Every structure is written in C-alpha cells, then in structure tokens.
Amino acid sequence: MELMVVIAILAALMGIGAPAVYSHMGLGKDAKCRANLEQLVQLGTKYSQDMAHKTLLPTSGMDDDEDTETVCETDGWWIALAPMAGKGTYVIPREKDGIMKVSSLFHCPADDRKNIDTDSTFEATEKSVSYVSWTDGSEDPDNVNSCIRTTAKQNLDMLPWLSDGNPVKGKSVTDAETFRKMVVPAAERHSGSVMMAYASGVVKAVEIDKSRPEEQFRKLAPALANRKVKPSNDDEEDEEEYDEDEE
C-alpha cells in the first residue's frame, strides 16, 4: 500500500511538472532564436560599417560583389554576413557552387526541417538556414532584392530586415506573396509567432495571422506594401511552380 501511495504521488507530481518542463523548453528555444537574431543584428552593424559596403544591410538577391570569386553572394544574405562572425565560425568554398558552412547562429533550434549538428559549422542551405531577409530595395531601384540602405529616408523601426522563415535562393521578402511563401510557414516554430529583426536593430516576436497574410504584411512592412514593383520573369515562374506544389 505504501508503495502504491508513493507511485500515485509521483504520478501526480509528474502530471503537474511535465507541462511546465515542456513550456520551459519551448521558451528556451524562443529565447535562443531571439538571441541569434540579436547577434546577427550586431554582425549586420559591423557589415554596414565596413567601407566596402557602408550603410548597407545584406539581403538574398543583392548584387554580387565582383571581388568575391569563390561564392555567389546573391544566393543568400548569410554568405555576406558569416565572415563578420570571425574565424572558425564559417567556411567559404574554394570554388563557386561549393559548400558554404556557417555556425549555429544561423539556425533556429525550433526549426526541424532538417536534422543538423549545430555543435560545429554545418552546410548552409535553404533547409538549414532558419532566417530570411526582407528588403525595400532602397539600394538599387532596378533590383527588388537589393540591399537595405540604412541612410535612406525611411522609418527603420518599421522596416524588417531578418525574420524566421524558409529561405528561397536569391530572394528576399519584398511583397505579400513572398511573405506568405517564406515567412508564414515558419510561425509553427514559436506557437504562431515569428522572431523579427528590424533595420533599426530592434528584435521582437510578432504573432502571425495566417488567415490574413496580405493585411498583416502591410502592417509589418508599410514601406514595402506601398512600393509598386513589377515582378521579373523568374518571379512569375517561381509562383507557377509554387501554385503547382500547393495543388
């Protein structure tokens, strides 16, 4: 009888404690993701202070640096930002189309799209990098995916730069459709929210309303929502493929 009483008490305690443990684990992942973005913001500041690209924040789809012979920077914003983290935290491939490796800073612990080892550098791909870049194309009006120029006349507190998301090679979030495709699915990682870093350096969690992506996009990025951009042929082809995948 005493043994049964002890077992019953332990079962009750486990029932009370387990939800708190799981909740704490979830909060831990949220905190780690926020910390990642805060550190990436610091690297972005370092990048924008370098004379080679002064006042710029890197994006996926930005114009490639002709001096970079081994990688195509336009593929992903992390290619430009990773070297800012210092030696031992990244690996630049020796030839184009080679393997680019980055540290756990670029991976959200709640992103389970791919099983990766974050104890060392891992291959940076659209499945392993957990964050996407946003841009208003202020650096180059002819390139919708160009860098963010932080000296442009705009409210940097309302201009997202990085957020949770599923990257697409060579593309940033520029409109409601890319927001729906690249950011909305990532809300599952944080119980319906995404972590966002703005061009001003502010990092915060934003709740995502999947039922109204266009309306929410306008609230999150008014500068982008008011910008009229004609999609390229590549954008139209990608959208056709995306629609087919949905069907």
Side-chain angles (χ1 to χ4, degrees), residues 222-240:
L224 277 68
N226 296 328
R227 186 169 184 263
K228 300 295 183 182
V229 178
K230 182 179 179 181
S232 65
N233 292 332
D234 291 340
D235 292 334
E236 294 172 353
E237 291 174 2
D238 288 345
E239 181 56 31
E240 290 176 1

Side-chain angles (χ1 to χ4, degrees), residues 30-31 33-39 41 131 134 155-164 183 190 192-208 216 219-222:
D30 289 357
C33 182
R34 182 190 291 270
N36 283 351
L37 283 172
E38 289 173 346
Q39 291 183 65
V41 164
Y131 307 108
W134 297 50
N155 184 355
L156 299 182
D157 286 329
M158 294 297 291
L159 179 59
W161 172 43
L162 297 178
S163 76
D164 278 304
V183 178
H190 305 293
S193 299
V194 296
M195 297 293 175
M196 296 187 63
Y198 290 80
S200 63
V202 174
V203 178
K204 61 183 178 180
V206 176
E207 188 173 350
I208 297 297
Q216 186 163 44
K219 291 181 179 179
L220 291 176

Side-chain angles (χ1 to χ4, degrees), residues 119-169:
D119 290 334
S120 60
T121 56
F122 60 90
E123 183 177 358
T125 68
E126 296 172 25
K127 296 281 186 171
S128 63
V129 174
S130 306
Y131 307 108
V132 297
S133 59
W134 297 50
T135 182
D136 63 346
S138 56
E139 164 61 7
D140 181 1
D142 294 326
N143 177 10
V144 67
N145 293 294
S146 67
C147 298
I148 291 176
R149 181 170 288 280
T150 57
T151 54
K153 294 181 179 180
Q154 56 193 320
N155 184 355
L156 299 182
D157 286 329
M158 294 297 291
L159 179 59
W161 172 43
L162 297 178
S163 76
D164 278 304
N166 300 337
V168 174
K169 186 176 182 180

